[in-house]
Amino acid sequence: MRVNEDDTTRSDATLDPQDWQAFRARAHAMVERAVDQMEAALEGRVWTPVPEDLMAALQADLPVDGAGPNTTDAAISELMPYGVGNTHPRFFGWVHGAGTPGGLIADIAAAAMNANTGGRDHAAIHVERQIIRWVRDLFSFPENASGLVVSGTSMATIVALKVARDVALDFRSRKAGVAGGQLVGYASAEAHACNARAFDMLGLGTDALRRVPCDADLKMDVAALESMIEADRAAGDTPFVVIGTAGTVNAGSIDPLADLAALCAKQALWFHVDGAFGGAGILSDHLKPKLEGIERADSIAFDFHKWLQVNYDAGFVLVRDGAFHRRAFSDLPEYLSGVDRGLAAASPWPVEFGPELSRGFRALKVWAHLKEIGPQRLGAVVTRNCQQVEYLASCIDAHESLERMASIETSICCFRYVRQNMSEDDLDALNQEIVIRLQEAGIAAPSWTRIGGRLAIRVNITNHRTRMSDIDVLIDAIVRTAPEAASAINV
Ligand SMILES: *Cc1c(COP(=O)(O)O)cnc(C)c1O
């Protein structure tokens, strides 16, 4: 019996297109759609809530026979305008990077290769190794340092603290777990929640992460840290790690890294740095001096997708002693063990440095981005953003209705709108309402935080598209929105 070669319902039909010419047209159409969106990144609203009809479509059941390419591509296109807004120059919330069009190119190539980068000898493995060497050199780490491209700083922190934990327990913890003597670590009261999360996931428990008070500039108080370490030792606990933050998420402060490095050396503690966004300052003439001491860390967790502008998602963990790093994760079964020829060569494999076996080619967009743009221009973005934050601070200081709430060190400015004779609670409510209204109006998207218990409008600028004029637009919008926000909530 002769089978019809075009019959897509044949049970042995592959998932490849029947007509490659048609597929080219289809792929080109989506590239055009994507480039249109990226080209328009400076324009329009920052954020638009997902419309009702789209929400309804997203509740539909899975189409059993598949919806086919046209319907599916149309549905993808419909989603695209409803992003978080971080590609826009006036996205000022949380800490997000803005991404670049180059990331689209690398993602297309990575999808075409469909590489599994857990191991084996192929180009992707060597691309990731080149990133490790580049990063190692940027942070002045030694040649035997190791690294891994991961989803973000949360995962990088889990990997780094696992190495620290296992080193502290002489790697017995890998088999025996962490029962017995209590390991404790330290991070400032301003440290990111991902550090406590890692303590939780590593079986140490969040109580074992002691929170060290901060000084008036929201930096870790090193004297307080030292007495907490002494007290814990006296109580029979085993301190093993100090986590310094290079760029806290609330106010952007940098802990005194050189002092922490010295203390950790003296006390024989692992020194980990959370440099999620601030680590990028190593490329900036303006910020680099403030990071002094980071080069003495035992491990650094940071993101490519924040201040370094790589499209989501991409983070990195760098470990000073690559042998420790490998020992904390390697457990290659016999059938995966190293040879020096053939596809199973290229030992050691990434799987020996982190929890994942199968991993995509996330490294390609990172590598291409660093290669295309180079550290000079990326550092210039960091420096320019710092200047924009300082300009914002000067506008606030000059405005009678605006009040600054924290000093500025990196990319973040915390402030609030004030009106005489308004209670602190009403001011909190008013400032939150102002932020929500700016987001809903699509004009700008700051977020909020609490500084000293009071609500602050929080503006973070880690965005290569932000212009000085965007700061003026923001200030204008806040001052214009405040009276209507006040009357809407009756304050
Ligand atoms: C964003 C951030 C994290 C978490 O990083 P992810 O990439 O979101 O996992 C950790 N620490 C700080 C200081 C951050 O800003």
Side-chain angles (χ1 to χ4, degrees):
M1 186 185 84
R2 204 185 136 78
V3 290
N4 177 358
E5 291 293 336
D6 290 336
D7 184 1
T8 53
T9 61
R10 267 174 49 184
S11 63
D12 63 342
T14 74
L15 302 178
D16 289 330
Q18 305 283 312
D19 176 348
W20 281 97
Q21 225 30 58
F23 179 76
R24 277 175 202 277
R26 178 188 169 200
H28 284 146
M30 186 56 80
V31 167
E32 288 296 329
R33 170 74 189 77
V35 175
D36 284 349
Q37 166 133 340
M38 289 177 149
E39 191 177 6
L42 295 175
E43 297 153 20
R45 297 169 55 89
V46 180
W47 172 74
T48 305
V50 180
E52 300 271 317
D53 56 341
L54 180 52
M55 286 297 277
L58 292 172
Q59 312 295 319
D61 291 338
L62 179 64
V64 175
D65 295 319
N70 296 338
T71 304
T72 304
D73 291 354
I76 292 173
S77 296
E78 272 171 50
L79 299 173
M80 289 173 70
Y82 306 106
V84 72
N86 55 315
T87 54
H88 192 283
R90 288 192 299 279
F91 183 89
F92 298 129
W94 301 273
V95 182
H96 284 37
T100 67
L104 171 64
I105 308 275
D107 268 351
I108 290 173
M113 288 176 75
N114 191 28
N116 180 347
T117 65
R120 290 155 290 274
D121 193 357
H122 52 118
I125 297 295
H126 301 284
V127 164
E128 186 159 354
R129 286 185 185 168
Q130 187 159 35
I131 296 172
I132 297 168
R133 287 193 294 273
W134 286 345
V135 170
R136 183 189 75 192
D137 292 349
L138 287 173
F139 286 102
S140 310
F141 265 44
E143 238 172 74
N144 64 335
S146 55
L148 192 69
V149 174
V150 292
S151 54
T153 293
S154 300
M155 180 56 85
T157 302
I158 291 167
V159 171
L161 296 185
K162 165 128 172 36
V163 183
R165 183 198 78 176
D166 291 344
V167 167
L169 297 175
D170 200 22
F171 296 92
R172 287 187 311 276
S173 42
R174 293 209 59 196
K175 267 180 78 122
V178 293
Q182 176 68 62
L183 290 183
V184 294
Y186 307 84
S188 92
E190 293 286 307
H192 193 273
C194 76
N195 296 295
R197 171 79 66 96
F199 267 60
D200 170 5
M201 293 186 71
L202 293 172
L204 303 168
T206 56
D207 286 350
L209 181 63
R210 314 286 202 231
R211 307 308 291 261
V212 183
C214 290
D215 64 16
D217 289 330
L218 302 176
K219 296 163 180 282
M220 195 194 289
D221 178 340
V222 181
L225 167 64
E226 203 158 8
S227 20
M228 288 168 79
I229 293 171
E230 295 309 331
D232 282 331
R233 286 204 204 280
D237 291 334
T238 307
F240 79 107
V241 66
V242 173
I243 300 167
T245 304
T248 58
V249 72
N250 275 334
S253 55
I254 300 172
D255 285 335
L257 303 178
D259 294 347
L260 296 182
L263 179 72
C264 286
K266 192 174 88 182
Q267 297 263 5
L269 300 175
W270 186 277
F271 178 34
H272 173 73
V273 174
D274 174 354
F277 65 93
I282 204 75
L283 304 183
S284 149
D285 297 337
H286 171 74
L287 276 191
K288 190 174 180 181
K290 302 186 187 200
L291 294 176
E292 201 205 319
I294 200 170
E295 73 289 345
R296 287 151 72 192
D298 292 296
S299 53
I300 304 175
F302 73 92
D303 282 318
F304 290 112
H305 58 216
K306 286 179 174 171
W307 224 345
L308 292 171
Q309 314 297 326
V310 171
N311 296 30
Y312 280 82
D313 52 8
F316 196 81
V317 55
L318 180 67
V319 179
R320 170 173 303 280
D321 187 326
F324 282 161
H325 187 181
R326 190 178 182 185
R327 228 179 129 191
F329 285 96
S330 184
D331 50 13
L332 278 185
E334 204 58 23
Y335 74 99
L336 289 175
S337 75
V339 292
D340 54 16
R341 287 171 45 228
L343 190 46
S347 170
W349 292 355
V351 65
E352 295 177 73
F353 296 89
E356 296 171 328
L357 174 56
S358 294
R359 328 159 54 232
F361 197 3
R362 192 184 267 135
L364 184 62
K365 65 187 176 189
V366 175
W367 178 83
H369 180 86
L370 295 174
K371 189 177 177 73
E372 178 192 339
I373 300 171
Q376 204 76 26
R377 282 179 71 201
L378 293 172
V381 169
V382 171
T383 301
R384 184 167 77 232
N385 286 160
C386 290
Q387 290 161 348
Q388 288 164 338
V389 173
E390 274 164 25
Y391 172 65
L392 169 63
S394 70
C395 295
I396 292 161
D397 292 346
H399 200 290
E400 56 182 9
S401 304
L402 299 173
E403 173 182 277
R404 209 127 66 74
M405 297 178 74
S407 51
I408 284 168
E409 190 152 37
T410 53
S411 58
I412 298 173
C413 181
C414 293
F415 61 100
R416 63 179 178 174
Y417 183 88
V418 285
R419 229 176 49 195
Q420 276 188 347
N421 305 323
M422 196 178 270
S423 74
E424 287 289 333
D425 286 349
D426 284 351
L427 281 175
D428 289 353
L430 172 59
N431 279 280
Q432 180 167 332
E433 180 66 20
I434 291 171
V435 169
I436 293 173
R437 279 170 180 258
L438 293 182
Q439 293 170 352
E440 287 177 340
I443 298 172
S447 55
W448 62 77
T449 188
R450 288 199 176 253
I451 302 283
R454 302 308 353 164
L455 192 129
I457 300 175
R458 178 181 165 289
V459 169
N460 168 75
I461 310 179
T462 46
N463 187 328
H464 66 97
R465 296 193 183 97
T466 305
R467 304 146 293 193
M468 282 294 181
S469 59
D470 291 310
I471 312 291
D472 299 329
V473 172
L474 171 71
I475 297 270
D476 245 40
I478 290 171
V479 172
R480 215 160 9 86
T481 303
E484 56 192 70
S487 56
I489 59 167
N490 293 316
V491 296

